[in-house]
Amino acid sequence: MANVLATLKTKRTKIWVGAVTLLLVFYLVVSFQRSVLLMSDPNPVAKAIGVAYLLLPAIGAWALVRELLFGARTERMAKILEAEGGLPEDNLPRTPAGRIIRAAADLEFEKYRTETEAAPEDWRSWFRLSCAYDAAGDRKRARASMRDAERLFRAKAPAA
């Protein structure tokens, strides 16, 4: 029983991603079904709404696949960095609630910003900059930096 709980704890994120993915797929299937029903209606307005409604599952499926691939590539990059010993250490001071102290994260951020400016074509520096942005609480820039890391990784990393 202890092994099962330990496994669940380590796989928690993947379990949540799987659950949300299943819910989204269910929603997309139902949306597709409803759009087909509307398109089969004799009313031209219902047909038009059905065609427009058909776009929702298409866009949703595209976004789902894109995000799942992004997550898989991010995980692959993290494993490569871990094997190389290049992952940033999580040694920032935290509040009693477990949140990173922003001032410490901002100081640490400068190190990774400088590294990325020195090597703008290295996906590893962008990955570490993304982690620094995330620690500093800037999720939007963290995601943008990780997208840059992913783009460079796909361009330079061997396929495997």
Side-chain angles (χ1 to χ4, degrees):
M1 183 67 168
N3 286 341
V4 172
L5 291 176
T7 302
L8 287 175
K9 193 170 190 177
T10 59
K11 304 288 185 184
R12 185 179 0 189
T13 301
K14 287 186 179 182
I15 292 168
W16 278 110
V17 167
V20 169
T21 299
L22 285 175
L23 287 172
L24 181 58
V25 167
F26 175 74
Y27 170 76
L28 294 175
V29 168
V30 170
S31 294
F32 179 77
Q33 177 198 26
R34 297 297 179 211
S35 66
V36 170
L37 285 173
L38 284 168
M39 288 188 297
S40 66
D41 191 285
N43 184 339
V45 174
K47 284 185 185 296
I49 291 172
V51 170
Y53 197 47
L54 189 59
L55 291 176
L56 289 176
I59 292 169
W62 169 80
L64 174 65
V65 169
R66 182 173 184 244
E67 289 306 306
L68 290 175
L69 288 174
F70 174 71
R73 287 188 191 114
T74 300
E75 186 175 359
R76 185 168 164 221
M77 289 186 291
K79 286 180 181 178
I80 290 170
L81 276 178
E82 182 180 31
E84 295 173 351
L87 276 179
E89 288 185 40
D90 185 11
N91 57 3
L92 293 171
R94 297 179 184 271
T95 65
R99 293 188 180 193
I100 294 173
I101 296 174
R102 178 78 187 257
D106 290 344
L107 289 174
E108 187 80 2
F109 170 81
E110 284 304 316
K111 177 174 86 171
Y112 295 112
R113 185 183 60 78
T114 303
E115 175 192 1
T116 304
E117 287 174 352
E121 296 302 316
D122 183 15
W123 67 265
R124 292 163 180 85
S125 64
W126 283 100
F127 188 100
R128 288 187 282 267
L129 181 64
S130 175
C131 294
Y133 271 127
D134 187 60
D138 192 343
R139 305 281 189 259
K140 185 176 180 181
R141 287 188 178 147
R143 191 148 180 93
S145 295
M146 191 59 77
R147 290 259 182 227
D148 289 337
E150 177 198 23
R151 179 182 46 81
L152 292 168
F153 177 76
R154 282 187 291 137
K156 295 190 177 185

